[in-house]
PDB file of all heavy atoms in Angstrom:
ATOM      1  N   ARG A 186      52.099  27.401 -98.240  1.00  0.00           N
ATOM      2  CA  ARG A 186      52.007  28.761 -97.691  1.00  0.00           C
ATOM      3  C   ARG A 186      51.838  29.753 -98.840  1.00  0.00           C
ATOM      4  O   ARG A 186      52.653  29.806 -99.769  1.00  0.00           O
ATOM      5  CB  ARG A 186      53.269  29.098 -96.896  1.00  0.00           C
ATOM      6  CG  ARG A 186      53.305  30.541 -96.361  1.00  0.00           C
ATOM      7  CD  ARG A 186      54.667  30.863 -95.771  1.00  0.00           C
ATOM      8  NE  ARG A 186      54.772  32.256 -95.427  1.00  0.00           N
ATOM      9  CZ  ARG A 186      54.493  32.747 -94.222  1.00  0.00           C
ATOM     10  NH1 ARG A 186      54.126  31.933 -93.248  1.00  0.00           N
ATOM     11  NH2 ARG A 186      54.627  34.048 -93.975  1.00  0.00           N
ATOM     12  N   LEU A 187      50.768  30.531 -98.735  1.00  0.00           N
ATOM     13  CA  LEU A 187      50.515  31.569 -99.726  1.00  0.00           C
ATOM     14  C   LEU A 187      50.539  32.930 -99.030  1.00  0.00           C
ATOM     15  O   LEU A 187      49.852  33.139 -98.027  1.00  0.00           O
ATOM     16  CB  LEU A 187      49.169  31.358-100.410  1.00  0.00           C
ATOM     17  CG  LEU A 187      49.012  30.096-101.273  1.00  0.00           C
ATOM     18  CD1 LEU A 187      47.663  30.112-101.978  1.00  0.00           C
ATOM     19  CD2 LEU A 187      50.143  29.988-102.281  1.00  0.00           C
ATOM     20  N   ASN A 188      51.321  33.832 -99.578  1.00  0.00           N
ATOM     21  CA  ASN A 188      51.382  35.191 -99.059  1.00  0.00           C
ATOM     22  C   ASN A 188      50.139  35.962 -99.476  1.00  0.00           C
ATOM     23  O   ASN A 188      49.364  35.508-100.335  1.00  0.00           O
ATOM     24  CB  ASN A 188      52.646  35.883 -99.573  1.00  0.00           C
ATOM     25  CG  ASN A 188      53.899  35.259 -99.003  1.00  0.00           C
ATOM     26  OD1 ASN A 188      53.954  34.911 -97.827  1.00  0.00           O
ATOM     27  ND2 ASN A 188      54.918  35.103 -99.838  1.00  0.00           N
ATOM     28  N   PRO A 189      49.922  37.138 -98.914  1.00  0.00           N
ATOM     29  CA  PRO A 189      48.743  37.927 -99.287  1.00  0.00           C
ATOM     30  C   PRO A 189      48.660  38.175-100.794  1.00  0.00           C
ATOM     31  O   PRO A 189      49.648  38.569-101.429  1.00  0.00           O
ATOM     32  CB  PRO A 189      48.939  39.239 -98.514  1.00  0.00           C
ATOM     33  CG  PRO A 189      49.772  38.849 -97.334  1.00  0.00           C
ATOM     34  CD  PRO A 189      50.681  37.769 -97.826  1.00  0.00           C
ATOM     35  N   GLN A 190      47.511  37.882-101.373  1.00  0.00           N
ATOM     36  CA  GLN A 190      47.224  38.066-102.792  1.00  0.00           C
ATOM     37  C   GLN A 190      48.063  37.174-103.712  1.00  0.00           C
ATOM     38  O   GLN A 190      48.052  37.362-104.934  1.00  0.00           O
ATOM     39  CB  GLN A 190      47.424  39.540-103.185  1.00  0.00           C
ATOM     40  CG  GLN A 190      46.594  40.523-102.376  1.00  0.00           C
ATOM     41  CD  GLN A 190      45.096  40.265-102.493  1.00  0.00           C
ATOM     42  OE1 GLN A 190      44.604  39.960-103.574  1.00  0.00           O
ATOM     43  NE2 GLN A 190      44.375  40.410-101.378  1.00  0.00           N
ATOM     44  N   GLU A 191      48.749  36.180-103.169  1.00  0.00           N
ATOM     45  CA  GLU A 191      49.577  35.295-103.999  1.00  0.00           C
ATOM     46  C   GLU A 191      48.712  34.232-104.676  1.00  0.00           C
ATOM     47  O   GLU A 191      47.781  33.683-104.072  1.00  0.00           O
ATOM     48  CB  GLU A 191      50.655  34.627-103.153  1.00  0.00           C
ATOM     49  CG  GLU A 191      51.597  33.741-103.968  1.00  0.00           C
ATOM     50  CD  GLU A 191      52.678  33.085-103.119  1.00  0.00           C
ATOM     51  OE1 GLU A 191      52.621  33.230-101.874  1.00  0.00           O
ATOM     52  OE2 GLU A 191      53.565  32.424-103.696  1.00  0.00           O
ATOM     53  N   GLU A 192      49.054  33.913-105.906  1.00  0.00           N
ATOM     54  CA  GLU A 192      48.351  32.892-106.684  1.00  0.00           C
ATOM     55  C   GLU A 192      49.374  31.924-107.260  1.00  0.00           C
ATOM     56  O   GLU A 192      50.390  32.359-107.814  1.00  0.00           O
ATOM     57  CB  GLU A 192      47.532  33.538-107.792  1.00  0.00           C
ATOM     58  CG  GLU A 192      46.634  32.574-108.545  1.00  0.00           C
ATOM     59  CD  GLU A 192      45.783  33.293-109.574  1.00  0.00           C
ATOM     60  OE1 GLU A 192      46.380  34.047-110.384  1.00  0.00           O
ATOM     61  OE2 GLU A 192      44.551  33.126-109.565  1.00  0.00           O
ATOM     62  N   VAL A 193      49.113  30.616-107.141  1.00  0.00           N
ATOM     63  CA  VAL A 193      50.071  29.610-107.594  1.00  0.00           C
ATOM     64  C   VAL A 193      49.355  28.518-108.377  1.00  0.00           C
ATOM     65  O   VAL A 193      48.154  28.285-108.200  1.00  0.00           O
ATOM     66  CB  VAL A 193      50.825  28.972-106.403  1.00  0.00           C
ATOM     67  CG1 VAL A 193      51.677  29.999-105.669  1.00  0.00           C
ATOM     68  CG2 VAL A 193      49.863  28.284-105.443  1.00  0.00           C
ATOM     69  N   ASP A 194      50.125  27.874-109.255  1.00  0.00           N
ATOM     70  CA  ASP A 194      49.655  26.686-109.970  1.00  0.00           C
ATOM     71  C   ASP A 194      50.155  25.440-109.242  1.00  0.00           C
ATOM     72  O   ASP A 194      51.315  25.380-108.824  1.00  0.00           O
ATOM     73  CB  ASP A 194      50.170  26.685-111.403  1.00  0.00           C
ATOM     74  CG  ASP A 194      49.571  27.804-112.231  1.00  0.00           C
ATOM     75  OD1 ASP A 194      48.438  28.220-111.922  1.00  0.00           O
ATOM     76  OD2 ASP A 194      50.258  28.281-113.159  1.00  0.00           O
ATOM     77  N   MET A 195      49.293  24.444-109.101  1.00  0.00           N
ATOM     78  CA  MET A 195      49.633  23.217-108.384  1.00  0.00           C
ATOM     79  C   MET A 195      49.449  22.028-109.326  1.00  0.00           C
ATOM     80  O   MET A 195      48.323  21.698-109.706  1.00  0.00           O
ATOM     81  CB  MET A 195      48.758  23.055-107.140  1.00  0.00           C
ATOM     82  CG  MET A 195      48.940  24.174-106.134  1.00  0.00           C
ATOM     83  SD  MET A 195      47.905  23.962-104.665  1.00  0.00           S
ATOM     84  CE  MET A 195      48.495  25.306-103.644  1.00  0.00           C
ATOM     85  N   PRO A 196      50.543  21.383-109.718  1.00  0.00           N
ATOM     86  CA  PRO A 196      50.446  20.290-110.696  1.00  0.00           C
ATOM     87  C   PRO A 196      50.099  18.950-110.057  1.00  0.00           C
ATOM     88  O   PRO A 196      50.405  18.697-108.880  1.00  0.00           O
ATOM     89  CB  PRO A 196      51.848  20.254-111.295  1.00  0.00           C
ATOM     90  CG  PRO A 196      52.728  20.709-110.175  1.00  0.00           C
ATOM     91  CD  PRO A 196      51.938  21.726-109.394  1.00  0.00           C
ATOM     92  N   VAL A 197      49.462  18.103-110.833  1.00  0.00           N
ATOM     93  CA  VAL A 197      49.184  16.722-110.457  1.00  0.00           C
ATOM     94  C   VAL A 197      49.609  15.849-111.631  1.00  0.00           C
ATOM     95  O   VAL A 197      49.017  15.916-112.716  1.00  0.00           O
ATOM     96  CB  VAL A 197      47.686  16.493-110.148  1.00  0.00           C
ATOM     97  CG1 VAL A 197      47.460  15.037-109.737  1.00  0.00           C
ATOM     98  CG2 VAL A 197      47.204  17.434-109.068  1.00  0.00           C
ATOM     99  N   PHE A 198      50.632  15.037-111.422  1.00  0.00           N
ATOM    100  CA  PHE A 198      51.154  14.147-112.456  1.00  0.00           C
ATOM    101  C   PHE A 198      50.752  12.730-112.077  1.00  0.00           C
ATOM    102  O   PHE A 198      51.088  12.246-110.990  1.00  0.00           O
ATOM    103  CB  PHE A 198      52.673  14.301-112.529  1.00  0.00           C
ATOM    104  CG  PHE A 198      53.303  13.656-113.723  1.00  0.00           C
ATOM    105  CD1 PHE A 198      52.630  13.563-114.932  1.00  0.00           C
ATOM    106  CD2 PHE A 198      54.589  13.142-113.660  1.00  0.00           C
ATOM    107  CE1 PHE A 198      53.205  12.982-116.053  1.00  0.00           C
ATOM    108  CE2 PHE A 198      55.185  12.552-114.760  1.00  0.00           C
ATOM    109  CZ  PHE A 198      54.492  12.476-115.959  1.00  0.00           C
ATOM    110  N   PHE A 199      50.034  12.027-112.935  1.00  0.00           N
ATOM    111  CA  PHE A 199      49.448  10.744-112.541  1.00  0.00           C
ATOM    112  C   PHE A 199      49.347   9.814-113.742  1.00  0.00           C
ATOM    113  O   PHE A 199      49.545  10.204-114.901  1.00  0.00           O
ATOM    114  CB  PHE A 199      48.059  10.958-111.934  1.00  0.00           C
ATOM    115  CG  PHE A 199      47.040  11.463-112.906  1.00  0.00           C
ATOM    116  CD1 PHE A 199      46.208  10.587-113.600  1.00  0.00           C
ATOM    117  CD2 PHE A 199      46.906  12.825-113.156  1.00  0.00           C
ATOM    118  CE1 PHE A 199      45.269  11.046-114.502  1.00  0.00           C
ATOM    119  CE2 PHE A 199      45.970  13.288-114.073  1.00  0.00           C
ATOM    120  CZ  PHE A 199      45.154  12.403-114.739  1.00  0.00           C
ATOM    121  N   PHE A 200      48.981   8.564-113.443  1.00  0.00           N
ATOM    122  CA  PHE A 200      48.619   7.606-114.487  1.00  0.00           C
ATOM    123  C   PHE A 200      47.691   6.560-113.901  1.00  0.00           C
ATOM    124  O   PHE A 200      47.647   6.351-112.678  1.00  0.00           O
ATOM    125  CB  PHE A 200      49.863   6.940-115.104  1.00  0.00           C
ATOM    126  CG  PHE A 200      50.580   5.984-114.178  1.00  0.00           C
ATOM    127  CD1 PHE A 200      50.272   4.633-114.154  1.00  0.00           C
ATOM    128  CD2 PHE A 200      51.580   6.440-113.327  1.00  0.00           C
ATOM    129  CE1 PHE A 200      50.926   3.750-113.314  1.00  0.00           C
ATOM    130  CE2 PHE A 200      52.249   5.570-112.481  1.00  0.00           C
ATOM    131  CZ  PHE A 200      51.922   4.220-112.474  1.00  0.00           C
ATOM    132  N   ILE A 201      46.939   5.908-114.761  1.00  0.00           N
ATOM    133  CA  ILE A 201      46.058   4.805-114.375  1.00  0.00           C
ATOM    134  C   ILE A 201      46.764   3.503-114.724  1.00  0.00           C
ATOM    135  O   ILE A 201      47.216   3.322-115.857  1.00  0.00           O
ATOM    136  CB  ILE A 201      44.701   4.900-115.091  1.00  0.00           C
ATOM    137  CG1 ILE A 201      44.007   6.203-114.715  1.00  0.00           C
ATOM    138  CG2 ILE A 201      43.817   3.715-114.725  1.00  0.00           C
ATOM    139  CD1 ILE A 201      42.713   6.442-115.476  1.00  0.00           C
ATOM    140  N   ASP A 202      46.859   2.631-113.744  1.00  0.00           N
ATOM    141  CA  ASP A 202      47.557   1.369-113.951  1.00  0.00           C
ATOM    142  C   ASP A 202      46.908   0.577-115.100  1.00  0.00           C
ATOM    143  O   ASP A 202      45.676   0.484-115.187  1.00  0.00           O
ATOM    144  CB  ASP A 202      47.515   0.553-112.654  1.00  0.00           C
ATOM    145  CG  ASP A 202      48.515  -0.594-112.658  1.00  0.00           C
ATOM    146  OD1 ASP A 202      48.390  -1.478-113.525  1.00  0.00           O
ATOM    147  OD2 ASP A 202      49.423  -0.597-111.807  1.00  0.00           O
ATOM    148  N   PRO A 203      47.725  -0.029-115.975  1.00  0.00           N
ATOM    149  CA  PRO A 203      47.156  -0.824-117.089  1.00  0.00           C
ATOM    150  C   PRO A 203      46.277  -1.971-116.625  1.00  0.00           C
ATOM    151  O   PRO A 203      45.379  -2.409-117.372  1.00  0.00           O
ATOM    152  CB  PRO A 203      48.401  -1.344-117.822  1.00  0.00           C
ATOM    153  CG  PRO A 203      49.489  -0.388-117.459  1.00  0.00           C
ATOM    154  CD  PRO A 203      49.184   0.074-116.070  1.00  0.00           C
ATOM    155  N   GLU A 204      46.481  -2.459-115.408  1.00  0.00           N
ATOM    156  CA  GLU A 204      45.647  -3.548-114.897  1.00  0.00           C
ATOM    157  C   GLU A 204      44.194  -3.114-114.709  1.00  0.00           C
ATOM    158  O   GLU A 204      43.316  -3.957-114.521  1.00  0.00           O
ATOM    159  CB  GLU A 204      46.217  -4.067-113.586  1.00  0.00           C
ATOM    160  CG  GLU A 204      47.581  -4.749-113.736  1.00  0.00           C
ATOM    161  CD  GLU A 204      48.089  -5.327-112.433  1.00  0.00           C
ATOM    162  OE1 GLU A 204      47.364  -5.193-111.419  1.00  0.00           O
ATOM    163  OE2 GLU A 204      49.180  -5.906-112.422  1.00  0.00           O
ATOM    164  N   PHE A 205      43.962  -1.795-114.703  1.00  0.00           N
ATOM    165  CA  PHE A 205      42.589  -1.284-114.617  1.00  0.00           C
ATOM    166  C   PHE A 205      41.727  -1.877-115.736  1.00  0.00           C
ATOM    167  O   PHE A 205      40.556  -2.215-115.521  1.00  0.00           O
ATOM    168  CB  PHE A 205      42.622   0.242-114.719  1.00  0.00           C
ATOM    169  CG  PHE A 205      41.278   0.894-114.820  1.00  0.00           C
ATOM    170  CD1 PHE A 205      40.568   1.252-113.687  1.00  0.00           C
ATOM    171  CD2 PHE A 205      40.706   1.163-116.067  1.00  0.00           C
ATOM    172  CE1 PHE A 205      39.329   1.843-113.780  1.00  0.00           C
ATOM    173  CE2 PHE A 205      39.467   1.759-116.167  1.00  0.00           C
ATOM    174  CZ  PHE A 205      38.772   2.100-115.021  1.00  0.00           C
ATOM    175  N   ALA A 206      42.315  -2.017-116.941  1.00  0.00           N
ATOM    176  CA  ALA A 206      41.558  -2.521-118.096  1.00  0.00           C
ATOM    177  C   ALA A 206      41.283  -4.006-118.006  1.00  0.00           C
ATOM    178  O   ALA A 206      40.395  -4.518-118.699  1.00  0.00           O
ATOM    179  CB  ALA A 206      42.319  -2.205-119.383  1.00  0.00           C
TER     180      ALA A 206
END
Side-chain angles (χ1 to χ4, degrees):
R186 176 189 172 93
L187 295 185
N188 293 319
Q190 303 301 319
E191 183 180 6
E192 187 176 52
V193 296
D194 293 332
M195 298 180 174
V197 181
F198 192 32
F199 67 93
F200 70 92
I201 299 175
D202 195 298
E204 294 183 0
F205 173 88

